[in-house]
Amino acid sequence: MEIEKLKPILEALFSASDKPLSVNQLFDLFVGDIEQPTRDEIRKAIEELSEKYSANGFELKQVASGYRFQVRTDFETWVVRLWEQKPPRYSRALMETLALIAYRQPITRGEIEDIRGVSVSTNIIKTLLERDWVKSLGHKEVPGRPTLYGTTSGFLDYFNLKSLNELPTLAEIRDIDQFNPELVLFPEEKKEVASNH
Amino acid sequence: MEIEKLKPILEALFSASDKPLSVNQLFDLFVGDIEQPTRDEIRKAIEELSEKYSANGFELKQVASGYRFQVRTDFETWVVRLWEQKPPRYSRALMETLALIAYRQPITRGEIEDIRGVSVSTNIIKTLLERDWVKSLGHKEVPGRPTLYGTTSGFLDYFNLKSLNELPTLAEIRDIDQFNPELVLFPEEKKEVASNH
Amino acid sequence: MHKVFASTASNQSEMPFALVEGEPLTVIPQDLYIPPDALLVFLEAFEGPLDLLLYLIKRQNLDVLSIPIAAITRQYMEYIHLMEQLELELAAEYLVMASMLAEIKSRMLLPRPTESQDEDDPRAELVRRLQEYEQFKKAAEDLDNLDRLEREIHLTHIDIPKFKVKLALPTVELNDLMSAFRDVVNRAEQFASHHVDREPLSVRERMVIVLDRISAEDFTSFNDFFNPAEGRMGVVVSFIAILELLKESLIELVQTEPYAPIYVKAKS
């Protein structure tokens, strides 16, 4: 395969992949194609790409498990500002997902969807995992082997709980509603902001 | 600020951000810097970057809420091999509801139901709100004050559009005047009806 | 189970047309038999009465502007009948449409006053609705065919080195979590099929602790899960947690012979 034809394909692959890609992994991706690059051609294309991106805002970098595009540290000053803005707010969907994981663990994504009646986006699960409030407990032995989720000790720490037992039960939550009707747990405008996330 | 100095900074920002960035958002990121680019300089740099990436595996694309790097669709064949997961599919009911909201906004649920001839499930509206494709625009001042729905910039971003104008044009409805009352009598049809009774 | 057959009314150049046994059928071509499950899928594929009507019109290559009301009404009623036979949940909208069709049909049979001939075709409203629906049905298809994220459009994932980011994470109050749970349970209870039980959380928590400690490779002693220091309550909670995990087939209990030690391992 011509290097010039291979280069944009590799650019597309490196930019799309959320993991580093090795020469072997790349080689395997072309198996079965009419035009199949050799490992040497892939290596040559990577070399030329590294050269090409040497002065960009991001570079093609070799790490242990392969190559990946990564933002150049020279631009840290500006990049960090992207996240320094005001803290975002979690969506209602995320809160309900977290609540179901807390109260119904171990639970699969499908079970959460069944109860909520709406699909749960991958991002919600990702956010909860990244926040270290939720972890995988293994897989359920049903077709598809879905991941079982549960809360972490980080979750308990954040909410200042010693154990899950300290979470109020549903009956207690409803009692609070009854005895303090004026104490609205989720004020109306908060709800709207959350659902618009 | 020199354009040549600004370009790699913008590259770093676009590659690091998980959301499209607008000229104004970019401008704000430089506020307080000694060297602060003007909006025009930012526009110029973006233009040059779009040009620079026009033949790469990924491109700088303008969508409703700003610019983002995205993989060129020409390389989809290879890119999809990186993932096992199939993209989510949406039901016809959901797509029809979304189309009505997109083309007829602001529109109430009742109006959608009138055109579709069936009730719209709460789950569809909820999914559309949660995906941030649709938002409430207020209430219609009729009995019951039903919510008026419209699409968001998130909807345009998702469908790779800059504005609602880029939506495919609606098929034309042939005028009802074409409808010729002279031709409406179907003698055999009438016969059939008569013999059925 | 209803036996359902499909037959082509070939002399009318129609597409395969399904009929329930019992309806007057002349020839039943064996090769066109539609299994009931498939027919169910077919009938469920309609997005409502307008969609079904459009299908009936289109499959005869007819224009929406010239609907043969009597023929379409008859076919429509046959499908409604089929849906009833298959115990498909028949939305009220289908029945409303049936009565609308019947009304149009009866009005068309009446002799019309000659002077008002150029307006007032009883089908006009139906045609308008069909046209409008068809327009948005097409729009939905066009929208579905647009390139979109997660399908044709892929964002770049360019790695960000460990920058010293002062990540401003959203804050959450325990109250928010509680009210989210209350809301989701309240909602689930409206749809009767979902019952969210109010099990003591201690069991749930213990289930997680058990899952954390076991693996598919190693055998963990059953006894290790019981700590006498926790008292009778603690032992009972552990026991229920293990039973619950067994019920959900998340764990296996292994015992090589009677009275031998029992081991717990994750389902492999």
Side-chain angles (χ1 to χ4, degrees):
Chain A
M1 196 174 195
E2 269 173 57
I3 301 285
E4 286 312 310
K5 210 174 152 187
L6 180 58
K7 268 156 64 181
I9 304 178
L10 294 191
E11 278 175 338
L13 288 167
F14 284 127
S15 65
S17 173
D18 48 8
K19 286 192 267 302
L21 295 169
S22 67
V23 173
N24 279 337
Q25 279 171 303
L26 289 164
F27 179 81
D28 289 345
L29 282 175
F30 291 94
V31 166
D33 282 6
I34 301 163
E35 269 191 292
Q36 204 186 317
T38 62
R39 284 189 175 78
D40 273 345
E41 283 167 341
I42 293 173
R43 269 184 215 107
K44 177 91 180 104
I46 289 177
E47 199 180 295
E48 292 187 17
L49 284 177
S50 307
E51 182 65 29
K52 178 176 169 185
Y53 285 94
S54 60
N56 284 35
F58 50 92
E59 60 194 324
L60 189 62
K61 175 129 182 151
Q62 187 173 13
V63 290
S65 55
Y67 297 84
R68 70 177 175 208
F69 275 127
Q70 92 180 24
V71 180
R72 295 174 74 90
T73 45
D74 313 16
F75 304 104
E76 184 174 348
T77 324
W78 294 277
V79 170
V80 291
R81 294 181 190 165
L82 284 174
W83 297 285
E84 278 170 0
Q85 288 146 352
K86 58 182 179 225
R89 188 163 242 152
Y90 286 136
S91 68
R92 192 119 195 104
L94 181 137
M95 290 303 295
E96 290 185 6
T97 305
L98 178 61
L100 284 171
I101 294 175
Y103 279 90
R104 298 285 297 149
Q105 57 190 303
I107 190 169
T108 67
R109 183 160 152 184
E111 287 161 354
I112 298 169
E113 290 176 343
D114 279 350
I115 298 171
R116 295 197 57 236
V118 209
S119 66
V120 170
S121 85
T122 312
N123 268 337
I124 288 182
I125 302 284
K126 235 182 95 187
T127 305
L128 291 172
L129 288 167
E130 280 171 2
R131 190 93 202 235
D132 191 31
W133 283 349
V134 155
K135 66 181 171 192
S136 156
L137 297 170
H139 296 273
K140 188 160 184 165
E141 289 309 323
V142 295
R145 302 189 74 247
T147 308
L148 284 161
Y149 295 101
T151 51
T152 60
S153 53
F155 167 84
L156 294 175
D157 291 347
Y158 185 89
F159 289 102
N160 210 13
L161 302 167
K162 276 200 289 295
S163 81
L164 281 177
N165 275 327
E166 289 188 359
L167 271 182
T169 63
L170 188 59
E172 282 163 5
I173 297 174
R174 285 181 173 157
D175 279 351
I176 297 172
D177 290 351
Q178 266 187 355
F179 294 124
N180 302 305
E182 71 280 9
L183 190 137
V184 184
L185 288 175
F186 228 100
E188 201 51 44
E189 79 279 2
K190 226 175 165 183
K191 216 183 268 179
E192 251 168 54
V193 171
S195 68
N196 283 348
H197 64 117
Chain B
M1 195 175 194
E2 267 175 60
I3 302 284
E4 285 314 309
K5 208 174 153 188
L6 181 57
K7 270 155 65 180
I9 304 180
L10 294 191
E11 279 176 337
L13 288 169
F14 284 127
S15 61
S17 173
D18 52 1
K19 286 190 209 66
L21 295 169
S22 68
V23 173
N24 280 336
Q25 279 171 301
L26 289 165
F27 179 80
D28 289 347
L29 286 174
F30 292 95
V31 167
D33 281 6
I34 302 163
E35 270 191 293
Q36 203 187 320
T38 63
R39 287 189 173 81
D40 274 343
E41 283 168 342
I42 292 174
R43 272 187 211 103
K44 179 90 181 107
I46 288 177
E47 200 181 295
E48 291 186 17
L49 284 177
S50 306
E51 181 65 30
K52 176 176 171 186
Y53 285 93
S54 62
N56 282 36
F58 49 95
E59 60 190 326
L60 189 62
K61 167 103 187 170
Q62 188 180 9
V63 289
S65 52
Y67 297 82
R68 68 184 177 202
F69 273 131
Q70 65 186 41
V71 183
R72 294 175 73 90
T73 46
D74 312 16
F75 305 104
E76 205 197 331
T77 327
W78 293 278
V79 169
V80 292
R81 296 180 190 164
L82 289 172
W83 298 293
E84 290 156 24
Q85 257 188 325
K86 283 208 198 88
R89 282 186 57 110
Y90 296 98
S91 68
R92 263 183 62 199
L94 183 136
M95 291 309 292
E96 288 183 9
T97 306
L98 182 60
L100 276 163
I101 295 174
Y103 286 92
R104 280 285 173 87
Q105 56 190 311
I107 190 170
T108 67
R109 184 159 154 183
E111 287 161 355
I112 297 169
E113 292 175 340
D114 282 348
I115 298 172
R116 293 193 61 235
V118 270
S119 61
V120 171
S121 85
T122 309
N123 277 340
I124 286 181
I125 300 285
K126 250 190 93 183
T127 304
L128 292 175
L129 287 168
E130 278 189 6
R131 296 249 37 182
D132 189 29
W133 288 346
V134 155
K135 64 181 171 199
S136 155
L137 298 171
H139 297 274
K140 191 164 183 162
E141 288 309 325
V142 294
R145 299 189 76 246
T147 307
L148 284 162
Y149 295 102
T151 51
T152 61
S153 55
F155 161 79
L156 294 172
D157 291 350
Y158 192 87
F159 285 95
N160 208 25
L161 304 169
K162 277 201 287 289
S163 79
L164 283 174
N165 288 332
E166 289 189 355
L167 279 176
T169 42
L170 271 184
E172 254 178 74
I173 286 193
R174 280 153 306 161
D175 204 350
I176 213 126
D177 293 343
Q178 272 181 268
F179 192 24
N180 189 346
E182 302 297 334
L183 297 172
V184 295
L185 293 175
F186 285 81
E188 5 102 75
E189 190 188 301
K190 272 193 144 174
K191 226 180 286 162
E192 234 179 89
V193 172
S195 66
N196 277 354
H197 285 246
Chain C
M1 172 100 39
H2 307 282
K3 280 198 186 132
V4 179
F5 296 91
S7 79
T8 43
S10 46
N11 45 345
Q12 286 168 30
S13 73
E14 285 186 9
M15 284 163 60
F17 181 52
L19 290 173
V20 178
E21 196 181 40
E23 293 288 308
L25 284 179
T26 44
V27 191
I28 304 160
Q30 285 300 312
D31 53 336
L32 279 170
Y33 172 78
I34 300 179
D37 289 350
L39 187 68
L40 203 66
V41 172
F42 172 74
L43 289 176
E44 278 178 341
F46 291 113
E47 284 297 329
L50 291 170
D51 196 22
L52 173 56
L53 273 181
L54 271 183
Y55 167 79
L56 294 175
I57 294 164
K58 294 283 148 159
R59 67 160 196 189
Q60 295 184 62
N61 287 323
L62 287 174
D63 193 84
V64 179
L65 294 176
S66 54
I67 330 167
I69 276 291
I72 292 297
T73 304
R74 178 175 46 78
Q75 291 175 10
Y76 184 87
M77 293 312 294
E78 278 164 0
Y79 274 91
I80 295 283
H81 186 56
L82 252 177
M83 290 182 183
E84 278 171 346
Q85 297 262 327
L86 288 169
E87 289 169 16
L88 264 186
E89 204 183 309
L90 193 59
E93 293 96 347
Y94 281 95
L95 300 174
V96 171
M97 179 59 71
S99 66
M100 184 177 178
L101 286 170
E103 195 211 332
I104 297 172
K105 196 169 109 178
S106 61
R107 281 174 60 195
M108 300 225 14
L109 287 174
L110 293 174
R112 55 182 81 198
T114 37
E115 59 271 28
S116 69
Q117 233 181 22
D118 38 38
E119 50 180 318
D120 232 25
D121 186 299
R123 298 172 304 172
E125 171 61 12
L126 178 63
V127 167
R128 188 196 62 75
R129 289 188 62 190
L130 280 170
Q131 283 186 312
E132 194 175 34
Y133 176 67
E134 191 182 22
Q135 189 186 28
F136 283 101
K137 188 179 164 181
K138 175 74 175 36
E141 284 164 17
D142 290 346
L143 196 58
D144 207 16
N145 288 332
L146 286 180
D147 283 353
R148 64 181 193 225
L149 279 185
E150 299 180 281
R151 205 176 61 187
E152 290 85 7
I153 305 293
H154 303 285
L155 295 182
T156 53
H157 290 100
I158 293 173
D159 193 76
I160 302 159
K162 284 197 171 51
F163 287 165
K164 285 173 238 77
V165 183
K166 279 180 271 160
L167 258 180
L169 289 171
T171 52
V172 175
E173 300 292 323
L174 187 58
N175 270 351
D176 298 342
L177 189 69
M178 281 155 57
S179 68
F181 182 61
R182 177 201 58 200
D183 290 352
V184 73
V185 170
N186 286 349
R187 226 173 37 239
E189 283 175 353
Q190 284 169 13
F191 306 99
S193 57
H194 294 296
H195 176 65
V196 180
D197 4 313
R198 295 155 208 180
E199 276 171 276
L201 269 170
S202 50
V203 174
R204 292 266 151 207
E205 181 170 44
R206 198 59 61 103
M207 285 164 72
V208 172
I209 292 170
V210 173
L211 281 179
D212 263 346
R213 278 177 54 186
I214 60 168
S215 72
E217 294 81 40
D218 303 317
F219 293 88
T220 311
S221 168
F222 182 67
N223 295 343
D224 288 356
F225 294 103
F226 301 95
N227 179 3
E230 287 182 337
R232 184 180 296 187
M233 222 18 235
V235 171
V236 169
V237 165
S238 289
F239 188 63
I240 296 175
I242 288 174
L243 287 182
E244 189 64 32
L245 287 168
L246 258 183
K247 196 178 90 190
E248 293 188 19
S249 344
L250 295 172
I251 57 166
E252 270 177 284
L253 288 189
V254 187
Q255 186 179 36
T256 46
E257 56 186 71
Y259 306 110
I262 300 172
Y263 293 98
V264 183
K265 68 192 275 285
K267 241 346 196 321
S268 48

